[in-house]
Amino acid sequence: QSGLTQPPSVSGAPGQRVTISCTGSSSNIGAHYDVHWYQQFPGTAPRLLIYGNNNRPSGVPDRFSGSKSGTSASLAITGLQAEDEAVYHCQSYDRSLSASVFGGGTKLTVL
Amino acid sequence: QITLKESGPTLVKPTQTLTLTCTFSGFSLSSTNVGVGWIRQPPGEALEWLGLIYWDDDKRYSPSLESRLTITRDTSENQVVLTLTTLDPVDTATYYCAHRDDSTGWGVYDIWGQGTMVTVSS
């Protein structure tokens, strides 16, 4: 059972902006633990996309951005491109579990 | 350049023990704040954090697997070993090891191995 909740799927047309939510609780995101986001293409390992809520590793386009407020976090993708079609996962730490936790993953479809 | 690669059996029988090795390069597991974590993903399902070993040999495990899971390291060989006992078909998944450096971002796994698929079946 995932500790964080994500919508199973989102979609958008090329050029549009989409957001993916990641809802937690007072024991993880709400406890001020950082949220990280990963991008995963079929048959490949997850790739770090956003770390520490809103930081991009080198090589990640600035079309990707992250934010956090209260017990939730969001990943925003602007100027949607066909190559963005993938599954996106959020991750944080849960102090009641004393464990890292992931969301269920969100499948992004570019229409 | 940091790389990690998982290796081990692809098919294991129920009740048996799974041993996976993560062989890494490009960093030292003796460096402060560095760790190697294990994460798995059943086919078509979410990522699940399994556990972590730190530079000082501190270990953390998922509460749901703690009784069956052990993570050890061989610093001289640049390897981390995952051992999971009493396997069940629900343990069928792709198993990933990943690099963690809390000095750059607490709790983030910045580099992942390619993963290894393990099927538990008789």
Side-chain angles (χ1 to χ4, degrees), chain B residues 42-82:
Chain B
E45 297 187 25
L47 297 168
E48 178 187 13
W49 182 80
L50 304 181
L52 163 71
I53 187 165
Y54 279 111
W55 83 98
D56 58 358
D57 207 34
D58 188 21
K59 296 151 192 172
R60 306 297 167 125
Y61 299 114
S62 166
S64 64
L65 293 170
E66 193 163 15
S67 62
R68 300 194 292 135
L69 180 64
T70 303
I71 298 175
T72 59
R73 65 177 185 170
D74 185 334
T75 307
S76 63
E77 294 292 330
N78 281 354
Q79 291 182 330
V80 171
V81 177
L82 173 147

Side-chain angles (χ1 to χ4, degrees), chain A residues 14-88:
Chain A
Q16 284 189 332
R17 178 181 185 270
V18 297
T19 62
I20 298 173
S21 62
C22 175
T23 303
S25 68
S26 58
S27 63
N28 42 64
I29 298 176
H32 307 294
Y33 290 106
D34 284 345
V35 178
H36 318 295
W37 292 89
Y38 303 87
Q39 179 188 54
Q40 186 179 29
F41 298 107
T44 69
R47 163 207 180 199
L48 179 63
L49 198 64
I50 297 287
Y51 68 94
N53 307 314
N54 55 13
N55 300 288
R56 286 185 308 276
S58 173
V60 173
D62 59 6
R63 302 186 295 105
F64 295 89
S65 63
S67 63
K68 186 179 93 166
S69 178
T71 58
S72 295
S74 289
L75 173 71
I77 310 172
T78 59
L80 205 57
Q81 300 180 4
E83 66 200 49
D84 298 332
E85 192 162 287
V87 176
Y88 294 84

Side-chain angles (χ1 to χ4, degrees), chain A residues 2 33-34 36 38 40 44-48 50-51 89 91 93 97-105, chain B residues 39 41 45-49 60-63 96 100 104-115:
Chain A
S2 298
Y33 290 106
D34 284 345
H36 318 295
Y38 303 87
Q40 186 179 29
T44 69
R47 163 207 180 199
L48 179 63
I50 297 287
Y51 68 94
H89 308 270
Q91 178 227 333
Y93 180 82
L97 297 174
S98 296
S100 289
V101 288
F102 285 92
Chain B
I39 300 103
Q41 185 175 35
E45 297 187 25
L47 297 168
E48 178 187 13
W49 182 80
R60 306 297 167 125
Y61 299 114
S62 166
Y96 298 100
R100 170 170 166 165
T104 58
W106 196 87
V108 63
Y109 293 93
D110 56 353
I111 307 293
W112 294 55
Q114 64 186 28

